Amino acid sequence: MRIKKSLPYALTPDLQLISAEEAYHHKQKTVYFCPRCYQLAKKQVKVTLVRKSKPPCFRKRKETDHEMECSQVQKYIHFLAKKLQIPMVGNELQLTLSPLEDLSTYSLADRFQLMEKKDNQRLLRLTQKILQAHHLESLHRIFRLYRISQAGASHSLHHLLWQPTYTPPQEPVYLSLIVGTVREVMELKALVNLYPAGDILQLHFPTLYYETKSLKLLHGQKVICLGYIKKLMDPSLYKMDILSFAHQIAFLTEKAIDLQPLFKKDWLTKTLFAPAQTYRRLSPTTFQKLYTKKADSLQNEKALIQQRRKQISDEIAYNFREIRKEKDDIAILKSQLPHSTPLSAPKRFVQKIQSFFSARIERENQVRWMLAFSQQKLKQLQKKRALLQKRKAEISELLQKVDKAYQQALQQLEQERQMKEKVVGPLYELPLSSLKSIIIQLNYQHSEQKLGLISFQAVVFLVKKWEGYYLPEQKRELLLTSSDLFHKQDLTTIARKIWNFIDRQIEQFQSEERKRRRDHCTQ
């Protein structure tokens, strides 16, 4: 297939792309070069501006030698495909594009992901290169020669080009390529004049990801858009959502604009936290302090009791050694006494015997005195042992109670730690009394890997305030994951859901606290 000799664009001497219409209004004469030949071989082949043509165009000069591929479309397309790393099998471009059907049933996060395909950029770049060197009608003829494979089926590439004579129904909506000029940019909406019918395409940008100020740069640009076109009520108005600028828009000039979607965290922060301004701010550090005094006090008390029990155990051991010693002494003393029974002779004979054995009797009396003393001491030691053992039993019982209280305190401390471990700011406090408060925690996470996916967390605590600490008694939590935040009003809707939950929990806590006070007063 051969294509027109006329060109809609040419290169200036400084190799800037210029349209025939722009060149027509230039008063200063200059030379222009064929963009196809420059794309193919960096070769500067002159072309002529035909002013009489309507619209103006550039035309090849007869005396100049253009590259062979410049006029042979198949070779030209193969050259571009190779340069853009698009594999080709016969006349089929091996591109994996976004789904051909409408994505409106998908979540915004999934739509972001489906639109951010590298092959979308390759197709836009291919269309851009063709249109920089050919007329739009030539693009239609070229696209009829090639196909793409989607979802296991082969489709003509030409079916992606939006047809000005075709009025798309409301359903279904298909992936389409469209060409036009941005004539106006308003509040995150760009109006594009479509070629060649003059219809209007509204490009809608997610207000949470793009700035109107940045989009103003689109004004006057000739663009190629890839996306899903919907017909609006006005017969000449169409709509396309632009989620990923780099994957859905290409420019026919080299003055490209790169606008990356960037989530507006300040919008979310202002919308989500606005109702919280009526409450008192609370430092997360203050709230997260763990009440360890009770556990520490019981631990110290337990250590002192254990120390006292050890002292008593040492005293019992020492007492046991003393008793053992006294028993040994008593056994020795008993062995020193005579084994004979006392004399039963008349008194006058006993006196004679005693006087005869006075020294021996005196020693025996001394031994008996010592034996009686040791036996008395043994009784005292045994009595002391009984008291020590009783005291040890009492201390062991006390230690058991303190240890039980200590374990309970540790359990309460662990519960407190678990309730507080994932608490991050900002926090807000609503005092109920001098000893009770409601604490509100708000948090969100925005996925940088999956645009459009935002997780929200709202936690409401009922806490007891004690010695400068916040001790959670109840905790109620709401988790929301939204993947459809497109406009600012979507934020307002989800913020309303979160604060409705918070208000309900506050009302319940207040009701429970009032009931507790009434019950306390009636007792």
Side-chain angles (χ1 to χ4, degrees):
M1 170 186 167
R2 301 186 68 83
I3 47 184
K4 286 185 178 182
K5 294 182 179 180
S6 62
L7 303 167
Y9 294 91
L11 295 176
T12 60
D14 57 355
L15 301 180
Q16 296 298 312
L17 199 67
I18 187 171
S19 69
E21 291 181 2
E22 291 176 305
Y24 177 81
H25 293 93
H26 282 194
K27 294 181 179 180
Q28 188 176 358
K29 290 186 178 181
T30 185
V31 294
Y32 301 102
F33 304 104
C34 174
R36 299 178 199 165
C37 292
Y38 191 80
Q39 286 178 0
L40 291 164
K42 301 294 182 184
K43 184 177 179 181
Q44 296 183 3
V45 180
K46 293 181 180 180
V47 293
T48 302
L49 173 63
V50 182
R51 296 178 178 273
K52 294 182 180 180
S53 174
K54 291 185 180 181
C57 65
F58 295 100
R59 194 174 295 275
K60 295 180 180 181
R61 295 183 178 183
K62 293 181 180 180
E63 69 275 11
T64 56
D65 294 326
H66 289 260
E67 291 294 305
M68 181 174 60
E69 292 89 346
C70 180
S71 299
Q72 295 183 0
V73 69
Q74 286 89 347
K75 291 184 178 181
Y76 177 69
I77 296 300
H78 274 77
F79 166 80
L80 291 180
K82 184 177 180 181
K83 186 176 181 180
L84 296 171
Q85 298 180 345
I86 301 174
M88 291 188 68
V89 177
N91 68 338
E92 185 170 286
L93 303 175
Q94 304 294 299
L95 291 171
T96 304
L97 305 174
S98 299
L100 294 181
E101 71 276 7
D102 183 19
L103 295 182
S104 59
T105 57
Y106 292 77
S107 69
L108 181 63
D110 289 336
R111 286 160 63 198
F112 264 117
Q113 198 168 25
L114 288 169
M115 289 307 302
E116 291 180 331
K117 288 184 175 292
K118 190 69 178 176
D119 280 354
N120 284 1
Q121 288 181 304
R122 291 190 175 101
L123 177 61
L124 282 172
R125 190 70 174 154
L126 175 67
T127 309
Q128 176 196 49
K129 289 293 183 184
I130 294 173
L131 285 177
Q132 284 175 349
H134 300 82
H135 293 284
L136 182 59
E137 53 267 32
S138 296
L139 177 70
H140 281 269
R141 295 172 62 195
I142 292 170
F143 270 24
R144 284 191 178 94
L145 300 175
Y146 296 94
R147 304 185 71 80
I148 57 170
S149 179
Q150 285 287 89
S154 181
H155 302 271
S156 171
L157 192 58
H158 182 258
H159 286 168
L160 290 178
L161 288 173
W162 181 77
Q163 303 296 309
T165 58
Y166 171 61
T167 303
Q170 289 297 99
E171 295 293 342
V173 179
Y174 294 106
L175 186 68
S176 301
L177 273 169
I178 200 160
V179 182
T181 301
V182 180
R183 74 168 193 184
E184 186 179 355
V185 178
M186 56 188 72
E187 187 64 28
L188 290 166
K189 187 189 300 180
L191 301 184
V192 181
N193 280 337
L194 303 181
Y195 294 155
D199 291 335
I200 304 298
L201 173 68
Q202 295 181 358
L203 300 181
H204 288 243
F205 294 82
T207 56
L208 295 179
Y209 292 88
Y210 291 96
E211 295 282 356
T212 303
K213 180 175 64 176
S214 302
L215 295 177
K216 294 280 186 189
L217 299 173
L218 291 172
H219 187 267
Q221 293 272 10
K222 294 180 179 179
V223 294
I224 309 162
C225 304
L226 175 66
Y228 301 90
I229 297 179
K230 277 191 175 183
K231 185 152 180 29
L232 301 179
M233 295 302 293
D234 189 313
S236 63
L237 281 181
Y238 300 87
K239 171 192 171 185
M240 179 186 290
D241 289 337
I242 302 296
L243 303 180
S244 178
F245 195 96
H247 298 82
Q248 290 186 257
I249 293 182
F251 298 88
L252 289 178
T253 64
E254 294 297 329
K255 301 173 183 178
I257 302 168
D258 185 16
L259 295 178
Q260 296 295 331
L262 182 64
F263 180 65
K264 298 178 183 176
K265 293 183 179 179
D266 56 331
W267 277 28
L268 176 56
T269 302
K270 289 176 182 177
T271 306
L272 185 60
F273 295 101
Q277 304 310 313
T278 57
Y279 302 104
R280 186 170 69 191
R281 283 294 293 268
L282 176 65
S283 166
T285 305
T286 302
F287 180 78
Q288 287 174 331
K289 284 193 306 181
L290 297 175
Y291 184 68
T292 60
K293 283 187 177 182
K294 184 177 180 180
D296 292 343
S297 175
L298 288 169
Q299 186 179 30
N300 293 334
E301 185 179 355
K302 180 181 174 182
L304 290 173
I305 294 172
Q306 288 175 328
Q307 184 180 359
R308 179 59 185 147
R309 188 176 68 168
K310 184 178 182 305
Q311 290 174 351
I312 292 177
S313 296
D314 292 342
E315 288 184 42
I316 290 174
Y318 180 73
N319 175 269
F320 177 79
R321 290 194 296 272
E322 284 189 313
I323 290 175
R324 184 72 176 268
K325 180 177 178 300
E326 289 302 324
K327 286 183 176 181
D328 291 344
D329 289 347
I330 288 172
I332 293 171
L333 289 171
K334 283 183 177 181
S335 68
Q336 293 176 1
L337 293 175
H339 296 288
S340 60
T341 58
L343 297 173
S344 57
K347 188 176 182 181
R348 63 178 180 272
F349 292 108
V350 173
Q351 289 175 349
K352 288 181 180 181
I353 292 171
Q354 287 178 345
S355 62
F356 181 77
F357 295 104
S358 59
R360 181 178 174 181
I361 292 170
E362 184 177 353
R363 284 197 301 274
E364 286 181 3
N365 288 338
Q366 186 177 3
V367 170
R368 292 182 188 281
W369 180 86
M370 291 175 64
L371 179 60
F373 179 81
S374 292
Q375 288 174 334
Q376 181 65 28
K377 184 177 180 182
L378 178 61
K379 288 181 181 180
Q380 292 175 349
L381 288 172
Q382 288 174 334
K383 185 178 180 180
K384 182 178 181 181
R385 183 176 64 177
L387 290 173
L388 287 172
Q389 287 177 335
K390 181 181 179 182
R391 181 61 180 152
K392 183 181 179 181
E394 292 173 349
I395 288 179
S396 296
E397 185 179 354
L398 177 61
L399 180 61
Q400 189 176 2
K401 290 180 180 179
V402 171
D403 183 64
K404 184 178 180 181
Y406 175 61
Q407 295 302 326
Q408 289 176 344
L410 286 180
Q411 188 176 2
Q412 291 171 355
L413 185 60
E414 180 59 26
Q415 290 173 350
E416 181 187 355
R417 182 182 288 109
Q418 289 177 1
M419 292 181 80
K420 290 181 174 181
E421 66 177 349
K422 293 184 180 180
V423 172
V424 294
L427 299 177
Y428 301 90
E429 180 178 1
L430 173 62
L432 296 180
S433 66
S434 59
L435 294 178
K436 291 289 183 74
S437 275
I438 292 173
I439 305 299
I440 302 166
Q441 174 200 349
L442 286 174
N443 190 27
Y444 70 89
Q445 287 186 335
H446 174 252
S447 174
E448 297 293 342
Q449 289 73 34
K450 193 170 184 181
L451 292 177
L453 184 64
I454 308 173
S455 299
F456 297 89
Q457 181 190 42
V459 185
V460 184
F461 296 92
L462 178 65
V463 300
K464 176 184 177 181
K465 293 186 288 186
W466 187 257
E467 298 180 357
Y469 291 86
Y470 290 82
L471 309 179
E473 294 182 346
Q474 294 188 55
K475 175 183 178 180
R476 296 171 186 172
E477 186 174 8
L478 173 69
L479 294 175
L480 287 177
T481 299
S482 178
S483 54
D484 286 300
L485 296 181
F486 194 91
H487 293 299
K488 190 174 182 179
Q489 54 265 34
D490 299 329
L491 278 183
T492 306
T493 301
I494 201 162
R496 190 182 300 115
K497 288 182 181 179
I498 291 171
W499 279 100
N500 285 342
F501 165 80
I502 292 172
D503 291 340
R504 286 197 305 271
Q505 306 316 310
I506 290 175
E507 185 177 346
Q508 289 179 14
F509 282 145
Q510 288 174 332
S511 177
E512 291 171 7
E513 185 63 14
R514 287 193 296 268
K515 184 177 181 302
R516 187 191 66 81
R517 289 178 185 174
R518 286 196 303 268
D519 293 343
H520 179 73
C521 292
T522 55
Q523 290 178 355

